[in-house]
Amino acid sequence: YATFLEMYARLDMVYRRGAGRGEMEKLVRQMVEHREGFLDRERCLKCVDAGMRKEVLERVKNVKNGSEEAGPRVFILIYPRVVDRLGEMLGNYQNMVSRQDR
């Protein structure tokens, strides 16, 4: 989850800086093809349901064929869910650590 958010933040930063289409497409492709398989059928992020995954993959396809602009918008549908899930995981971890310290 953290890796996805780091890559998303980089994509957003480069987008806001006004990068060219080629660089933006490269960053989108890196996120989709990452070894963690953020959007793979079997290894997809657990907080992303099938409908969301399908919509994001459709946007990626549109970026590849040039009918949609590459940028953070491609992944905006799943971004809030990933942030929420990572926050939940971090909270659980902090609770566990605080119990061990007692």
Side-chain angles (χ1 to χ4, degrees):
Y1 294 92
T3 302
F4 176 85
L5 288 179
E6 286 174 11
M7 294 180 82
Y8 182 87
R10 182 167 181 242
L11 176 69
D12 185 60
M13 179 186 67
V14 171
Y15 177 79
R16 290 174 189 265
R17 220 184 297 146
R21 179 173 177 84
E23 186 176 357
M24 296 304 300
E25 285 178 0
K26 178 183 173 188
L27 291 171
V28 168
R29 190 173 52 254
Q30 285 175 352
M31 290 179 75
V32 172
E33 296 172 356
H34 193 273
R35 71 175 183 250
E36 290 294 328
F38 303 128
L39 298 170
D40 288 355
R41 186 178 309 250
E42 299 296 322
R43 193 177 156 93
C44 187
L45 294 167
K46 300 297 183 223
C47 62
V48 177
D49 64 39
M52 296 170 88
R53 179 182 172 273
K54 181 179 178 183
E55 178 67 29
V56 171
L57 291 175
E58 184 67 29
R59 289 179 180 180
V60 170
K61 182 176 137 185
N62 291 341
V63 166
K64 287 180 182 177
N65 68 29
S67 63
E68 188 166 336
E69 180 183 30
R73 185 181 177 282
V74 174
F75 301 101
I76 196 65
L77 189 61
I78 62 176
Y79 172 76
R81 286 244 182 131
V82 174
V83 169
D84 289 346
R85 179 66 177 134
L86 187 60
E88 180 183 311
M89 292 170 73
L90 180 59
N92 291 339
Y93 175 75
Q94 287 174 332
N95 289 338
M96 181 187 72
V97 169
S98 69
R99 281 193 300 264
Q100 289 175 349
D101 288 345
R102 290 184 211 168

